[in-house]
Amino acid sequence: AQSVTQLDSQVPVFEEAPVELRCNYSSSVSVYLFWYVQYPNQGLQLLLKYLSGSTLVKGINGFEAEFNKSQTSFHLRKPSVHISDTAEYFCAVSVGTNAGKSTFGDGTTLTVKP
Amino acid sequence: DGGITQSPKYLFRKEGQNVTLSCEQNLNHDAMYWYRQDPGQGLRLIYYSQIVNDFQKGDIAEGYSVSREKKESFPLTVTSAQKNPTAFYLCASKRSPEAFFGQGTRLTVV
């Protein structure tokens, strides 16, 4: 079975500062990795995904993440955040093809202050 | 546009009542999922279905039931056996390995 740990439950940051949201995973097999964003009272929207190939993945809204197999990490980064980035962010892992279950972290609340 | 539609957006339930949350998708995905989300917690899997007329329990299935009579529809019933049903419920479908989510239903017991 796989598991996901988001290392920070809350991350406050000032506008235009860089941010990193940390995610570690464990799995005995190869995984697919995802970051989702959730705004209040809404569903989850895909930010980016790692399936294979380049370990640096670019997503929407200027976010990027780097897959590090040796450290089993998939940290999310943005060089300059905006007020509108305030939201909850979820890291997720999926194993195998077909429609296997995804495992989600507990989420990180990013609060961008003016 | 293709997507997942959950209804209603807000739902109130009296103690002892069963309520059904709707989830419809027109993405032609085989797999569909129901998650429960509580404040400060991640998504917990209630039930999932990988094909029509088949479904499996997730991690917190007690007090819930589902059906999958059509590919497009995966309704969730919250029964009176669920002692703490107040939560945000999310439906998802999957084109492996990526999941697509609906906008959620917030259920409140009054």
Side-chain angles (χ1 to χ4, degrees):
Chain A
Q2 63 268 25
S3 66
V4 177
T5 302
Q6 292 185 239
L7 298 168
D8 307 291
S9 60
Q10 300 200 28
V11 173
V13 64
F14 287 104
E15 193 173 18
E16 297 184 7
V19 71
E20 178 180 79
L21 306 184
R22 298 180 294 167
C23 173
N24 286 353
Y25 69 93
S26 68
S27 175
S28 58
V29 298
S30 295
V31 297
Y32 304 108
L33 295 157
F34 306 84
W35 275 99
Y36 291 87
V37 60
Q38 184 182 35
Y39 300 102
N41 289 313
Q42 293 189 26
L44 274 66
Q45 178 184 358
L46 182 69
L47 269 180
L48 49 78
K49 58 189 175 186
Y50 172 78
L51 304 182
S52 64
S54 173
T55 57
L56 182 62
V57 179
K58 295 189 182 296
I60 62 171
N61 300 342
F63 284 94
E64 64 180 32
E66 186 158 17
F67 170 57
N68 188 319
K69 188 174 182 179
S70 63
Q71 297 188 5
T72 62
S73 67
F74 191 55
H75 301 334
L76 181 70
R77 301 185 182 99
K78 186 170 183 178
S80 176
V81 293
H82 303 290
I83 298 288
S84 59
D85 292 324
T86 295
E88 186 143 23
Y89 292 79
F90 290 94
C91 181
V93 60
S94 179
V95 174
T97 57
N98 198 7
K101 295 182 289 180
S102 299
T103 301
F104 290 81
D106 287 342
T108 297
T109 301
L110 174 64
T111 303
V112 181
K113 304 176 182 180
Chain B
D1 284 337
I4 301 175
T5 301
Q6 290 187 241
S7 61
K9 188 168 177 67
Y10 298 96
L11 185 57
F12 297 90
R13 191 195 92 168
K14 294 182 179 179
E15 296 272 359
Q17 275 186 338
N18 292 354
V19 291
T20 297
L21 284 61
S22 170
C23 178
E24 303 279 331
Q25 56 105 354
N26 60 4
L27 300 168
N28 201 34
H29 292 168
D30 286 316
M32 297 186 73
Y33 304 78
W34 274 105
Y35 292 92
R36 171 179 171 141
Q37 187 177 22
D38 294 284
Q41 298 187 36
L43 278 64
R44 293 186 288 169
L45 184 64
I46 304 172
Y47 268 98
Y48 64 105
S49 167
Q50 295 186 326
I51 197 168
V52 174
N53 292 322
D54 188 44
F55 48 83
Q56 289 79 39
K57 293 182 179 180
D59 302 317
I60 55 165
E62 186 176 352
Y64 299 97
S65 66
V66 294
S67 63
R68 186 85 187 276
E69 297 176 1
K70 299 186 301 182
K71 188 175 187 177
E72 300 80 15
S73 179
F74 191 41
L76 173 73
T77 297
V78 184
T79 75
S80 57
Q82 171 50 239
K83 297 307 178 187
N84 185 23
T86 294
F88 190 56
Y89 291 87
L90 286 163
C91 178
S93 69
K94 202 166 187 179
R95 180 182 65 210
S96 191
E98 181 179 338
F100 296 78
F101 286 84
Q103 292 299 297
T105 293
R106 184 165 297 282
L107 173 63
T108 305
V109 173
V110 295

